[in-house]
Amino acid sequence: MLKNSKIIPILITAFFLFLFLTVEPVLARDSEESAFRTERINALVLVLVFSAAVLLYTRWAKQGKTLFVRKIPGIDAVEEAVGRATEMGKPVLFIPGLQELDDIETIAAISILGRVARITAQYETPLLVPVRYPLVLAAGQEVVEQAYTELGKRDAYNRDIVRYVAGEQMAFTSTVNGMMMRERPAANIFMGAFFAESLLLAETGNAAGSIQIAGTARPEQLPFFIAACDYTLMGEELYAASSYLSKEPLMLGGLKGQDFIKIIIVILILIGVILVSFNVGGWYYKLFEMA
Amino acid sequence: MNFWNKIDTLDRRWVYLLVAISVILPFILPVKLPVYITPETQQLYDAVESLPDSSIVMLTFDYYPSTIAETEPMSRVALHHLFRKNIRIVTVTTVPLGGPSMAEQVTREMAEQYGKVYGVDFVNLGYKANYVAVLKGMGSSIEAIYPTDNLSTPLSELPLMNEVKNYDDIDFIYVVADNGIVDYWISIVNALYGTPVGCGVTAVMAPKFYAFVSAGQMTGLLGGMKGAAEYELLLGQPARATTGMDAQSLMHLLIIGLVLMGNIGYFAGRRQKGKKA
Amino acid sequence: MRTTVPVVIAFLSGLVLAVSIFFRPDKTIIGQLEPELLVWVTIIGGFTLFLGAVSITRVNFNAVQRRKKGWGYSLLTLISVFVMALPSLLPSTWSPLFGDAEGSIYDWLFQYLDKPMMATMFGMLAFYIASAAYRAFRARSAEATILLLTATLVMLWRVPMGEAFLRSIHTALPEWINTYVMNGVNMAVQRGIIIGAALGAASMSLRIILGIERTYMGKG
């Protein structure tokens, strides 16, 4: 199986190219009349290959195949940070980003919140979760309540652990900054989509002496978190965090599938670089254009 | 504790004081150095310049009032350029607080200068919740998402909107934003509907979008107040952004100075520790 | 049941929106379903705003009632919420002070209180950036030194005073920074992160649509 998995990226890349070269021109002939948008077939192929890879690795994981996932120090630090908060008798502050629930970063953050809530419930450490959007509030409350209930700590759960603070970015930030200075949380965990407030929050947390862990897929905010936080999850590490914390093979399968596609993309980029360098890459470039 | 140790562990309030001075000082003693125009700003300017008379542009006010110092000058240069070229404008916002009223206020103020008529030369559609759905939905029908404009006038009563059904009728989208919405204007609107998108974003966000400009998914980019100042220069109308450039210059130089000082303190401290050891 | 129904809804909605991209809206049922679904989403989005109003009132009202630590702030929050919201909800036909048009109470509070307060908060970034840069930007290693030098060059390049200084060293230096740093190194790094994050998002979406990832519902 392991040997196969090494040649699979090459085989699928070949298949991918074959589809582009043969199927697309045939379908494109009657593109104007058909209900199917043949000009978007390249995207469809990518979606299918990607889905197949994720599902295949998930299946292998289900069957018991050991999947290696590198250590992510920022995620390992979450447990350590909650432990520190428990020792100090201070709360853990978790912010699931400042974006709506339809943003995938927020969903990832809510998943991580579920894991963090399990740890805080286990140690009975106070948890504070200020949110910016009502739907995030509903999802956050559900996730935290479930974590406390599953660990038999229903009595320790309070509906106001997750609270709506303000809908406006800076009103939210000033409220949370005030919370940081008054409550002095032992740990601040920032996960999800952050914007201009990233440094305002992280610097205040730093001034309050909290241990800080951040994770965002927004490249523009990474420098601020790196400067002011102890650990930072970058890009896809945020999406990996929930699977990593759960340690469930089913979830880890998704991560491996994603890595596999990344290898394919790297191969495709290299092919493109070579072709374009030799000035014969026009046709190849067109394969990736979407109408 | 010697001088360099003190520098290494300087109280952050001294830094705050220096920042305040360097922001205020240039407004009292302006320097007004020339601004260099980056290719990304030039590209956005050229894209608007090449639009024919009476084209229709969607201008977005996707920013919160908190960033107006950086973003509003961009909206103003965009409006100047569009109205001056006799281009018709449809404004939208994905920001609930302040977005619709800022669009209303700034657009009407500029329209008055150019003698433009609401409903004929420009329309403000206002805000609708769930931006991803709004952006995608406008690809099929703008009226389905916005049955009325910001002041509750049905779209059918606005002559301009009778010509605009979806993105196919929009020649260019000029996004001014301070948040992640820009990603969706590119990945949904430009990728799926092919309408060219040019953006003005805060300086912090700008480095991310160079990749999109280079890939042709974004037609030009304004980065923060500097981008707006460059555009003002291209329009030949120096205004707010150009004035703010001195304060920004001094602020950048202060940060460089502080970093330099911090490093000298750090190395001096390390050397001393080494000697003691 | 509590899990199955949301998973089925997530699966169907996700599938329709993902597949509809490949069909013309005017020719297929799936293509027509997409705009319909998107209108539903915007309507539901509007209703959720009430959830927020209820939560903020409950949390702060409880704090005031029980005289919790910092209850004064909660009282101020409650007053602000209602002073801002109530007049804007009343019809402007009753009085020009109601509604949210120019000259209304809402507009006045927004223009002269809310807007400057928000701008002030954003302005504080300048102070925080300076202090964070001062504290964190140390040439502790070779990588940190490269980062520091590049940051210094870009900061100089972005402002007229710095640019004048760079031009005094070499006239084409600002253009080189634009070409090699911003459109070279910066762009390559950003692309790497963007591609990685996009794949992560796609994989997560797939897991949600297929019901493998249920932690966001409190399951798993």
Side-chain angles (χ1 to χ4, degrees), chain B residues 7-8 10 12 15-16 19 31 33-34 36 39-40 65-68 70 97-98 101 105 129-130 133-134 136-137 140 192 207-208 210-212 214 223 226 245 248-249 251-253 256 258-259 262-263 266-267, chain C residues 17 21 34-35 38-39 41-42 45-46 106 110-111 114-115 118-119 122 126-131 133-135 137-140 148 152 155-161 163 167 175 178 182-183 186-187 190-191 194:
Chain B
I7 290 290
D8 194 25
L10 187 70
R12 65 182 85 205
V15 176
Y16 296 163
V19 171
V31 188
L33 281 163
Y36 148 74
E40 292 74 23
S66 50
T67 61
I68 45 170
E70 262 193 300
L97 190 74
S101 59
Q105 190 198 341
N130 283 70
V134 170
K136 263 195 114 187
S140 306
L192 295 181
K208 177 180 173 183
Y210 278 80
F212 295 100
S214 157
K226 167 84 175 0
M245 274 295 94
Q248 203 169 332
S249 289
M251 182 66 205
H252 279 213
L253 295 182
I256 293 170
L258 283 171
V259 170
N263 274 286
Y266 169 69
F267 282 108
Chain C
L17 288 177
I21 288 173
E34 189 211 15
L38 294 172
V39 172
V41 174
T42 54
Y106 174 88
F110 174 72
Q111 294 291 348
D114 209 16
K115 220 164 135 177
M118 287 185 223
F122 186 74
F127 296 89
Y128 283 11
I129 284 175
S131 100
Y134 178 70
R135 206 184 53 245
F137 258 165
R138 299 282 155 94
R140 291 191 176 94
L148 194 119
T152 308
M155 275 197 283
L156 286 171
W157 165 76
R158 278 310 285 176
V159 289
M161 277 187 205
E163 199 190 306
R167 283 201 194 280
E175 283 84 356
N178 194 41
M182 298 310 289
N183 280 300
N186 164 62
M187 198 160 78
Q190 300 282 355
R191 276 187 174 153
I194 292 167

Side-chain angles (χ1 to χ4, degrees), chain B residues 197-265:
Chain B
V197 176
C199 295
V201 297
T202 56
V204 166
M205 290 163 71
K208 177 180 173 183
F209 297 111
Y210 278 80
F212 295 100
V213 176
S214 157
Q217 289 167 293
M218 198 187 255
T219 315
L221 172 71
L222 301 185
M225 198 188 270
K226 167 84 175 0
E230 291 170 29
Y231 212 104
E232 283 175 1
L233 189 68
L234 285 167
L235 287 171
Q237 290 173 308
R240 290 183 190 188
T242 312
T243 318
M245 274 295 94
D246 281 345
Q248 203 169 332
S249 289
L250 207 62
M251 182 66 205
H252 279 213
L253 295 182
L254 172 75
I255 293 179
I256 293 170
L258 283 171
V259 170
L260 203 71
M261 245 171 63
N263 274 286
I264 296 172

Side-chain angles (χ1 to χ4, degrees), chain B residues 158-239:
Chain B
L158 300 164
L160 173 58
M161 293 317 290
N162 289 329
E163 288 180 47
V164 186
K165 297 295 163 213
N166 54 34
Y167 294 127
D168 291 344
D169 306 312
I170 305 274
D171 298 291
F172 190 78
I173 299 174
Y174 203 127
V175 176
V176 180
D178 68 356
N179 57 64
I181 190 72
V182 183
D183 296 15
Y184 299 101
W185 281 110
I186 302 165
S187 63
I188 295 176
V189 182
N190 178 265
L192 295 181
Y193 304 98
T195 317
V197 176
C199 295
V201 297
T202 56
V204 166
M205 290 163 71
K208 177 180 173 183
F209 297 111
Y210 278 80
F212 295 100
V213 176
S214 157
Q217 289 167 293
M218 198 187 255
T219 315
L221 172 71
L222 301 185
M225 198 188 270
K226 167 84 175 0
E230 291 170 29
Y231 212 104
E232 283 175 1
L233 189 68
L234 285 167
L235 287 171
Q237 290 173 308

Side-chain angles (χ1 to χ4, degrees), chain A residues 1 55 136:
Chain A
M1 192 66 96
L55 294 177
V136 182

Side-chain angles (χ1 to χ4, degrees), chain B residues 134-150:
Chain B
V134 170
L135 261 53
K136 263 195 114 187
M138 286 198 292
S140 306
S141 162
I142 292 178
E143 202 172 6
I145 300 292
Y146 286 99
T148 63
D149 73 349
N150 189 43

